[in-house]
Amino acid sequence: MGMPGVLRLYFGESNLPTPDYLKRALDRAVRDGYTFYTENAGLPSLRGAIADYYLRKQGVALDPGSEIVVTASGVQAIALSIRAVLDPGDEAIVLTPAWPNASAIVELSNARSIEIAQPLHGEVYTIDFDAVERAITPRTRLLVYTSPSNPLGWVATRRQQETLLELSRRHGLWLMADEVYDRLYYEGAELGDPVPSILQMATREDAVLVVHSFSKSYCMTGWRLGWMIARQDLARKCGQMNEFMVSCAAGFVQKAAETALTEGEAELKTMLTTLRENRDFCAAKLRAMPGLTVPDAAGAFYLFPRVEGLRDSFGFCKRLLENTRVGIAPGMAFGAGGEGSVRICYASGREVLEPAMERLGNWLSIEPHDGPLMEQTRIVSDDHNAGVEAAVFQDQADIARGGR
Ligand SMILES: Cc1ncc(COP(=O)(O)O)c(C=O)c1O
């Protein structure tokens, strides 16, 4: 983080500042007096705006009074959901590679996270439903997936979502869908169409939870605002539990965010046009580099190329950083199935992406990533066992934080 001159592609956020229309809305909200506590489940007017938004964008009717809880970020929606459905000793199945927070929050709740890697077939990530079924035990309570995926860029098909739902129903599991990137989708009928939510396929009686955020679609990462949608009994409980976590998200932030839902489409489409161009540019450059497989990435703002022969993505990224000043995130930070790949965030300017792709290409042609250097790094880790493991774990935690 402190190294000068780094081309930073390891972040998990756009380089764009919050748009002006939202800054003005925030200023208005403060001056209009939204400086007090709000309801634990969020301002009724914001919940109403979220319900209207789902009807408009997803064709899903929600009751704002009983099925929506506003949270102080997407990660807080994840924490609230997990704490609500898991008891100590329970198990959660998490599809990975994934942003590590859901697994970490499961463990923090004294439950066990069972990571099931999504296999890569050719250039397409899929779901190993047999492996998911095999991992289910009498203690399994929750199944978590992320679509569009951080770090894969993968988007679940309708069929895959229906199968996850059917499997969860059959085994009596809660199904948690992390849909924070649903608006960053490049393969819809029209740019700006969201990825269809699991809520389109589920009934309101299903044990389904959706977590969402204002961070990614509206460049509001620092505002800390999200929401969750759940069956009424769970949503009520989560609203109550919010009292003991943050009581409520900041009132003026909530009020201003209503404007994002009602007036944000034009800015969003402009951003999507740039992101799609960036994705296409980076994917084309990466596909031309030797030894890389670049999986299809229909959503979010990440590419997750697999590097042939790579067994130490952490060492690879560290050497890339030190030698070329290009910062990317090692696949090992994203759990089972992540090792051997690297994550590139393309939500940046061309002045960063172009030299970064050039330097990465040059580095790949000289770095013996499947040769002795990699082997050496791995052996060093083994030799120093606990101490090095702890350091690597610390690094991994830092990466997870820095790599949001
Ligand atoms: C998959 C995924 N879910 C949730 C979040 C949480 O976003 P926030 O806490 O900023 O709302 C992130 C952030 O990177 C993410 O990548």
Side-chain angles (χ1 to χ4, degrees):
M1 295 286 275
M3 195 182 269
V6 175
L7 301 175
R8 297 175 200 279
L9 308 187
Y10 56 79
F11 279 127
E13 64 184 342
S14 163
N15 64 329
L16 299 172
T18 300
D20 283 343
Y21 77 95
L22 285 172
K23 292 180 186 163
R24 286 194 296 273
L26 186 68
D27 187 46
R28 252 190 337 265
V30 174
R31 282 195 276 115
D32 286 348
Y34 286 89
T35 55
F36 296 94
Y37 293 128
T38 74
E39 289 78 356
N40 295 132
L43 285 173
S45 55
L46 175 57
R47 281 183 275 157
I50 292 172
D52 291 347
Y53 173 82
Y54 270 89
L55 200 54
R56 243 181 9 254
K57 303 308 299 181
Q58 295 279 1
V60 170
L62 295 171
D63 175 12
S66 63
E67 292 171 334
I68 300 172
V69 179
V70 173
T71 56
S73 74
V75 69
Q76 202 234 326
I78 296 174
L80 204 51
S81 309
I82 288 175
R83 294 295 290 272
V85 301
L86 294 185
D87 282 331
D90 284 346
E91 292 171 11
I93 294 175
V94 181
L95 298 192
T96 58
W99 188 57
N101 291 33
S103 280
I105 293 167
V106 167
E107 302 277 336
L108 207 60
S109 312
N110 295 315
R112 279 187 67 207
S113 166
I114 312 294
E115 297 185 346
I116 301 294
Q118 292 191 229
L120 179 62
H121 290 144
E123 294 184 345
V124 181
Y125 273 99
T126 60
I127 300 175
D128 186 344
F129 289 106
D130 290 339
V132 174
E133 294 258 6
R134 281 197 304 275
I136 295 172
T137 76
R139 292 309 302 260
T140 311
R141 295 278 178 277
L142 173 68
L143 173 55
V144 183
Y145 77 101
T146 309
S147 168
S149 159
N150 172 8
L152 305 179
W154 163 83
V155 174
T157 63
R158 214 171 247 280
R159 185 73 192 271
Q160 286 167 330
Q161 285 173 295
E162 281 164 358
T163 309
L164 287 170
L165 183 60
E166 182 277 320
L167 191 148
S168 304
R169 283 176 179 153
R170 191 154 38 83
H171 291 279
L173 309 180
W174 280 94
L175 179 62
M176 183 166 107
D178 181 335
E179 298 185 351
V180 309
Y181 292 98
D182 74 338
R183 300 303 308 279
L184 306 189
Y185 182 41
Y186 315 106
E187 309 295 341
E190 268 183 52
L191 198 63
D193 287 353
V195 170
S197 169
I198 188 74
L199 296 169
Q200 288 189 13
M201 292 140 239
T203 72
R204 297 295 75 80
E205 299 309 311
D206 273 314
V208 164
L209 275 152
V210 169
V211 294
H212 217 303
S213 170
F214 284 86
S215 286
K216 314 291 175 173
S217 321
Y218 305 108
C219 305
M220 289 168 66
T221 50
W223 292 48
R224 314 312 297 134
L225 193 67
W227 70 84
M228 58 173 287
I229 292 160
R231 204 174 67 194
Q232 291 188 1
D233 52 350
L234 196 88
R236 190 173 56 246
K237 207 32 98 185
C238 287
Q240 291 167 346
M241 275 171 57
N242 224 10
E243 169 65 19
F244 311 114
M245 292 185 167
V246 290
S247 296
C248 61
F252 44 85
V253 166
Q254 293 189 51
K255 192 63 196 167
E258 289 172 21
T259 314
L261 299 178
T262 52
E263 293 175 26
E265 292 299 306
E267 289 270 356
L268 179 59
K269 275 194 193 150
T270 306
M271 179 171 82
L272 287 173
T273 305
T274 307
L275 285 175
R276 187 170 58 181
E277 284 166 10
N278 286 354
R279 178 197 65 163
D280 294 346
F281 168 77
C282 291
K285 289 284 177 194
L286 292 166
R287 288 201 165 108
M289 292 178 199
L292 294 191
T293 304
V294 186
D296 289 348
F301 38 49
Y302 308 106
L303 291 168
F304 201 61
R306 183 166 282 185
V307 186
E308 199 182 312
L310 182 61
R311 281 166 290 158
D312 175 13
S313 55
F314 185 84
F316 176 83
C317 289
K318 197 167 174 208
R319 285 191 300 281
L320 179 74
L321 178 68
E322 286 164 353
N323 288 283
T324 73
R325 295 286 194 267
V326 173
I328 58 177
M332 54 78 90
F334 302 97
E339 186 52 282
S341 299
V342 292
R343 189 190 75 175
I344 292 170
C345 174
Y346 56 77
S348 197
R350 277 301 175 93
E351 70 288 356
V352 172
L353 296 175
E354 285 176 17
M357 289 300 116
E358 192 180 327
R359 289 186 209 173
L360 177 62
N362 291 341
W363 176 249
L364 275 170
S365 62
I366 53 166
E367 155 85 351
H369 46 270
D370 55 351
L373 200 50
M374 283 295 147
E375 195 58 21
Q376 193 186 350
T377 310
R378 199 168 58 79
I379 290 166
V380 167
S381 304
D382 289 344
D383 281 354
H384 290 76
N385 53 56
V388 171
E389 290 300 332
V392 168
F393 185 77
Q394 180 56 47
D395 285 336
Q396 196 172 342
D398 289 341
I399 289 160
R401 259 196 309 280
R404 300 173 71 78

